[in-house]
Amino acid sequence: MDDELHYGVIEGEGVALLTSHPFGPFEPEGRVFALADVRLVAPVLPSKVVAVGRNYLDHVREMGGDKPPSEPMIFLKPSTSVIGPGEPILLPWQSEQVEHEAEIAVVIGRLCRDVPEDRVNEVILGYTCANDVTARDLQGTDGQWGRAKGFDSFCPLGPWIETDLDVEDATVTCTVNGELRQSAVGADMVRAIPELVAWISSVMTLLPGDVILTGTPAGVGRLEAGDETSVSISGIGTLTNPVTDRG
Ligand code: ZN
């Protein structure tokens, strides 16, 4: 296969290439490749990644809080922080405490704003795995989270978008070098996805391909150079990234 970039639909062990992007009517262009013969990149390049903080009670507690915020708490990660499966998470020299955060990611399918909760399904293309990588020490010292959450490579996404997922029943886990660090089900979220998308879209217009990270459960912990970390969501798959020094 060439080294061109294509959108595709996964069918069994194969990938059927598409004539266009998936944010509208699309159809297969004819070529099908074995999944093992293609290199997957991040499934979308979002205009923005909107992340929700403190959306699992056990994580609120491990961060020293006793209750979730009275309204959703959001922050932005730059599009340039996005990487795909297998790409390295780069540890920046500015931080001595970079941590993993396994999260269920929502991929927006169409331009929208002020979406009512009961119509949120109409604007969601699907779901993927995310790792909201965080420089925990800088998150504390900076006050603002732009740097702590925004380094290049701090938003692994993938391995693909699942369009049909029962989020409430989905299990999200994080492992580091095969050891289980985080585990929760979607139903554990303080605020469910319809409420989050409705609330965020009342603040800012969402564009096709924009990504919403829905918060992380307890068990966040440090990543070291040489580690390999995986985020798995039942019904989607596994997103694995090695960890290296940025140099
Ligand atoms: Zn997070």
Side-chain angles (χ1 to χ4, degrees):
M1 185 170 175
D2 55 38
D3 57 3
E4 289 171 34
L5 209 48
H6 299 270
Y7 282 104
V9 170
I10 295 174
E11 296 167 342
E13 294 300 304
V15 183
L17 303 189
L18 299 180
T19 53
S20 69
H21 61 70
F23 305 104
F26 59 81
E27 50 190 289
E29 52 113 278
R31 285 180 293 171
V32 178
F33 292 89
L35 199 46
D37 291 341
V38 302
R39 186 169 79 85
L40 296 173
V41 296
V44 282
L45 181 57
S47 81
K48 57 186 170 295
V49 176
V50 186
V52 177
R54 301 179 186 142
N55 200 34
Y56 288 81
L57 202 50
D58 58 358
H59 176 63
V60 172
R61 292 190 177 121
E62 78 175 344
M63 291 287 111
D66 55 3
K67 58 179 190 296
S70 56
E71 285 198 282
M73 199 216 65
I74 59 171
F75 55 94
L76 294 169
K77 290 171 80 79
S79 60
T80 42
S81 65
V82 171
I83 59 172
E87 290 188 73
I89 294 167
L90 304 174
L91 301 176
W93 60 265
Q94 295 95 330
S95 173
E96 294 183 345
Q97 191 183 357
V98 173
E99 298 191 346
H100 55 81
E101 292 191 1
E103 310 206 4
I104 299 172
V106 178
V107 180
I108 297 297
R110 47 187 275 202
L111 184 147
C112 59
R113 69 176 178 211
D114 295 326
V115 183
E117 272 189 47
D118 62 0
R119 296 187 64 187
V120 160
N121 275 346
E122 297 172 34
V123 305
I124 294 177
L125 177 67
Y127 305 88
T128 192
C129 308
N131 200 330
D132 176 20
V133 180
T134 303
R136 194 71 66 199
D137 47 355
L138 303 181
Q139 192 181 21
T141 55
D142 286 0
Q144 298 286 327
W145 297 4
R147 180 165 67 144
K149 298 280 193 176
F151 284 102
D152 287 359
S153 81
F154 271 27
C155 191
L157 294 176
W160 42 67
I161 297 166
E162 173 57 58
T163 54
D164 183 18
L165 182 73
D166 181 346
V167 174
E168 295 280 300
D169 285 344
T171 302
V172 55
T173 60
C174 181
T175 63
V176 178
N177 305 325
E179 179 186 319
L180 184 66
R181 296 280 190 88
Q182 298 183 272
S183 180
V185 293
D188 292 339
M189 287 183 200
V190 173
R191 292 184 173 85
I193 286 169
E195 182 180 350
L196 295 175
V197 174
W199 193 91
I200 292 165
S201 76
S202 75
V203 177
M204 61 187 82
T205 298
L206 297 170
L207 300 181
D210 279 356
V211 169
I212 295 173
L213 306 188
T214 55
T216 199
V220 298
R222 189 186 296 248
L223 295 169
E224 314 264 9
D227 284 347
E228 184 180 79
T229 184
S230 295
V231 175
S232 297
I233 298 175
S234 60
I236 302 180
T238 298
L239 166 69
T240 299
N241 298 91
V243 181
T244 65
D245 283 319
R246 182 166 175 168

